[in-house]
Amino acid sequence: MILPGLMAILIPVVVGFASKEMLAGLLAGVTASGVLMAIFQSNAGGAWDNAKKLIEGGFESEGFTYSKGSEAHKASVVGDTVGDPFKDTSGPSLNILIKLMSVVSLVIAPLIK
């Protein structure tokens, strides 16, 4: 995790000293893609978690009954394994990444010509 953390700090510095227009584009791209990815991960994680809960409670659709132990339940457990980190850690941490890159850019802004 040291390398990704350093990248979040060093990339705005390197790009900022190359060109202030490039830094503005970098921040716009990081913000736009980061917000969309965070929303996707938070919602997808919640959906996978809710699907598992629905199946565990017993669910009937198109004449088939899905409950604990079924193939659908096994698949939903796998989805929930991915979904929990999405909604609990990965989605919210993108907010911190966006803020970190923006703050670093603001700190170096007086030095950029």
Side-chain angles (χ1 to χ4, degrees):
M1 292 306 299
I2 293 172
L3 183 60
L6 284 175
M7 286 177 62
I9 294 170
L10 295 178
I11 287 178
V13 173
V14 171
V15 170
F17 285 120
S19 165
K20 60 185 171 191
E21 290 83 8
M22 284 174 49
L23 181 59
L26 173 73
L27 290 177
V30 165
T31 302
S33 61
V35 166
L36 291 174
M37 197 65 157
I39 292 170
F40 161 75
Q41 289 180 342
S42 295
N43 287 334
W48 280 327
D49 187 41
N50 291 339
K52 186 184 91 165
K53 289 177 184 175
L54 177 71
I55 292 170
E56 286 177 347
F59 172 67
E60 186 175 333
S61 175
E62 298 179 9
F64 294 101
T65 302
Y66 304 103
S67 60
K68 269 190 162 180
S70 67
E71 288 297 316
H73 180 255
K74 292 175 187 173
S76 72
V77 169
V78 172
D80 188 47
T81 303
V82 174
D84 279 341
F86 262 31
K87 69 180 172 69
D88 296 335
T89 58
S90 189
S93 69
L94 285 170
N95 180 33
I96 297 164
L97 176 69
I98 294 167
K99 286 181 183 179
L100 176 64
M101 293 182 82
S102 298
V103 167
V104 167
S105 299
L106 286 171
V107 168
I108 67 162
L111 305 174
I112 298 173
K113 295 184 181 189

